[in-house]
Amino acid sequence: MSGNSLYTPDQSALDTRWTQPWSEAFRAQRDVGLRIPINFHTAPAVSLSQACFSDKQYEHNAFRKCFSNLLGVGFRRFAIDAYWDALQSSWSLCPVEQPGPEDDGADDAVSTSSGSLVIASTDTINAKIPESTAVPLNSLAFDRRQDASQSTGSAGGSSLASSSDPTSAMSSTSASPSAKPTVINFPSTSGPPLSQIGRYNCTLLMRLDLLTGILDNFLDSTSTTTGASFLVLTLDVHAASSILNPNEPATELPTTRLPGTGTLLSDVMKGNISSVTYTPALLRDQRSDLNSSWFDVQPPSQPLGGYYDIKYNSQRNRYTIDGWPTEAFVEFQRFYRLSIGYGTVDPQMRLYNIGPDLDFIFPPGALEREQTPSVSSNGQLSSGCLFDASDTGVTSQRNSSWTIATAPALDVGSRPDLMIPLPAVSNLTSCGITPLLNQTLGGTTADKNPLPYAAYVHSTLWTWAPGEPKNITSGGDRSDSRCAVMTTSPYSGRWRVTDCKDRYRVACRVPGQIYNWQISSETSSYFDAVEACRAPYEFDVPHTALENAHLIAAIGRDSRTTPDEAIYIDLNALNVPECWVSGLDGTCPYLATDDNDRVRIVVVPTVAAVVIFLLAALTFFVKCAANRRENKRGRRRRMVGGWEYEGVPS
């Protein structure tokens, strides 16, 4: 990461995600689901208001660190409260209107005073991802698509250490409308002053474009086959409270004070990340002609069946009305990294017309379907789980598409054991439900301590058992610890490595019936496992948490199952250590350089012939040559809330 990057996670955050065995476990879990529609994946989700602003402190350096740490530990879904500041005519992360940078307090309605100096600490070192020596995308001619007008930015400073805590000085009482509110400005050595407005402390840089700038830098730093993941942002829309009555809810805004052309929510979100955003317009076009979109790729990258209905038009072209693309297609074929959707829109903003946004931002409910399960004190779900042993495929009653639920109250210490999953989070995930963290963990926000939040993310791993996959080397027996089995104890349903010559029974599934599993009657080595399954069943591996739950249930139903029995799943690292693929002929796409660093390229980690990859790469090089000549960018600047960040392209 560049020293000028807005994405500045702590090293302690990155170590929980990018060191072994965690990096390999998360990567393998992503890879087994690459050919599954993105709406069926579970992912760790978090509310930024709870993880970053629980103390009502909206300061840009603290937020920059908090959001960076949440991204760094592996959160993939974010619930974001976006406030329309009618006074500034801008979208803000601060819940109250703010005076402009030139406001000297002359307005008779608001008085201004000065507080003590807020000093930015200088003891934070920018963290480095261990794989940061990988070759950049553009050095291999895989340029990210980006408009010439777009920019990446940078900012100095880090988390605040104040000699006088402005939070403690905030009034907890609501000002009456007739009172004359006072704004207290705490000067800062790093950016604009921190303004105390009612119960909130905010800086003018707390705008949505700061959030998208951090995202832009994060996506740059993880644009590798080993590091890329798909993100989802949900925007809950509010009107900022009036600066004249900051501790009370905002009043309904007339249309004359609402966003217009150039200040629409989609306009702001497009500013830094439009080139990597998968939009409703793209989804509509691709659904209407699957032959030229999701199936217009090599067979190893095409979607697996059984997740949505495919129909045929009069020309026998395939289309769908309910399908979604796979991560293999949207991320590694088309290089999109995130989608944005509306959550709720407050009544105070009901006159805001979201229609013009809907080509770029998904409408409310499109990217989330709320579930309200009952979770007991031991973390078990007594109702609301989407698992039913009688299902062989997706049903309307138990469709896990975009399903999300708020996790129950969690007791997580400041230094949690990352090897011990949080039961409620693990069980929600196993039930096919994305768990949303809507509380502050460990009594602190993620900028101050990312470890409790890392423990939450680790609890959403549904594949490998804690500590797995155990380290394997390139020396010795090629089959030693290069295959995977599902265990029944001590971590029921989780995976561990095994010697490929060991004999176990085999996990078999009917193609297209994603929950229809059967366990072979005979044991086999991994090398002969394909023959152990009886037609129409085939040797396979679970691709989602809910599929995994159905497999462990099939093991439990089998009368031949013995205590502590392990079952082969179709997953191996025979070709390259730490690169897990399906099939004996599976080829690892993470091509290593001479010094064994990961090559920073974007290809689909599936079984693919090298010649196919080379031909596709050559075609891409030719197409991108002209674009690269036109898109060379020099020093770039980003304006955030009227303050300028300078930086160079990463």
Side-chain angles (χ1 to χ4, degrees), residues 524-548:
S524 167
S525 71
Y526 180 85
F527 301 105
D528 299 320
V530 171
E531 285 74 27
C533 295
R534 297 180 179 178
Y537 289 86
E538 298 178 358
F539 188 30
D540 210 342
V541 61
H543 304 294
T544 68
L546 197 52
E547 292 178 30
N548 202 63

Side-chain angles (χ1 to χ4, degrees), residues 315-334:
Q315 287 77 40
R316 300 300 297 168
N317 289 327
R318 288 171 286 192
Y319 71 95
T320 181
I321 59 174
D322 62 347
W324 288 81
T326 66
E327 191 166 356
F329 177 85
V330 74
E331 187 167 40
F332 294 109
Q333 294 289 334
R334 296 297 185 266

Side-chain angles (χ1 to χ4, degrees), residues 27 44 51 71 107 156 164 406 434 454 473 529 579 597:
R27 183 172 64 247
L71 289 164
D107 189 340
S164 174
T406 300
T434 285
T473 65
C579 185
D597 290 323

Side-chain angles (χ1 to χ4, degrees), residues 183-388:
V183 174
I184 303 176
N185 289 326
F186 294 85
S188 171
T189 59
S190 178
L194 183 67
S195 298
Q196 178 187 311
I197 309 171
R199 62 167 63 98
Y200 303 104
N201 287 351
C202 301
T203 65
L204 280 172
L205 289 180
M206 287 300 295
R207 307 296 192 197
L208 269 184
D209 48 3
L210 173 59
L211 180 145
T212 61
I214 298 169
L215 267 178
D216 182 38
N217 289 166
F218 165 76
L219 296 175
D220 274 339
S221 70
T222 57
S223 56
T224 68
T225 47
T226 54
S229 58
F230 192 79
L231 307 181
V232 175
L233 312 181
T234 302
L235 302 173
D236 293 322
V237 176
H238 315 274
S241 294
S242 170
I243 193 173
L244 301 179
N245 201 9
N247 294 335
E248 294 298 320
T251 58
E252 182 176 327
L253 296 178
T255 54
T256 54
R257 301 192 69 204
L258 290 173
T261 303
T263 58
L264 299 175
L265 191 52
S266 57
D267 294 328
V268 177
M269 300 307 292
K270 287 177 183 177
N272 294 312
I273 53 177
S274 64
S275 65
V276 291
T277 301
Y278 187 76
T279 66
L282 289 168
L283 178 64
R284 286 194 302 270
D285 290 345
Q286 292 169 6
R287 279 178 170 178
S288 66
D289 188 359
L290 299 182
N291 289 13
S292 61
S293 58
W294 305 345
F295 286 89
D296 187 26
V297 293
Q298 296 297 327
S301 300
Q302 291 180 358
L304 297 176
Y307 298 90
Y308 54 84
D309 292 330
I310 295 178
K311 303 178 184 298
Y312 291 85
N313 61 20
S314 57
Q315 287 77 40
R316 300 300 297 168
N317 289 327
R318 288 171 286 192
Y319 71 95
T320 181
I321 59 174
D322 62 347
W324 288 81
T326 66
E327 191 166 356
F329 177 85
V330 74
E331 187 167 40
F332 294 109
Q333 294 289 334
R334 296 297 185 266
F335 312 120
Y336 296 110
R337 297 290 305 279
L338 77 159
S339 282
I340 307 169
Y342 270 104
T344 60
V345 179
D346 277 0
Q348 294 91 333
M349 294 288 291
R350 69 179 184 86
L351 296 179
Y352 173 53
N353 178 18
I354 68 173
D357 292 327
L358 297 184
D359 272 346
F360 188 77
I361 301 175
F362 283 93
L367 299 183
E368 60 180 10
R369 187 168 63 90
E370 292 188 16
Q371 187 85 346
T372 54
S374 297
V375 184
S376 62
S377 58
N378 65 358
Q380 297 295 319
L381 273 67
S382 56
S383 67
C385 183
L386 298 178
F387 170 81
D388 190 302

Side-chain angles (χ1 to χ4, degrees), residues 618-636:
L618 179 60
T619 302
F620 194 86
F621 294 163
V622 173
K623 290 182 178 179
C624 288
N627 291 337
R628 289 200 308 277
R629 288 193 296 269
E630 295 176 2
N631 288 337
K632 289 183 178 179
R633 292 161 290 177
R635 190 172 182 86
R636 297 179 296 178

Side-chain angles (χ1 to χ4, degrees), residues 83-92 94 96-103 107 195 197 203-207 240-243 253 257-259 262-263 268 640-643:
Y83 297 88
W84 172 247
D85 184 338
L87 188 62
Q88 295 296 319
S89 295
S90 65
W91 288 97
S92 174
C94 177
V96 65
E97 294 175 339
Q98 297 185 73
E102 304 302 324
D103 193 334
D107 189 340
S195 298
I197 309 171
T203 65
L204 280 172
L205 289 180
M206 287 300 295
R207 307 296 192 197
S241 294
S242 170
I243 193 173
L253 296 178
R257 301 192 69 204
L258 290 173
T263 58
V268 177
V640 180
W643 293 78

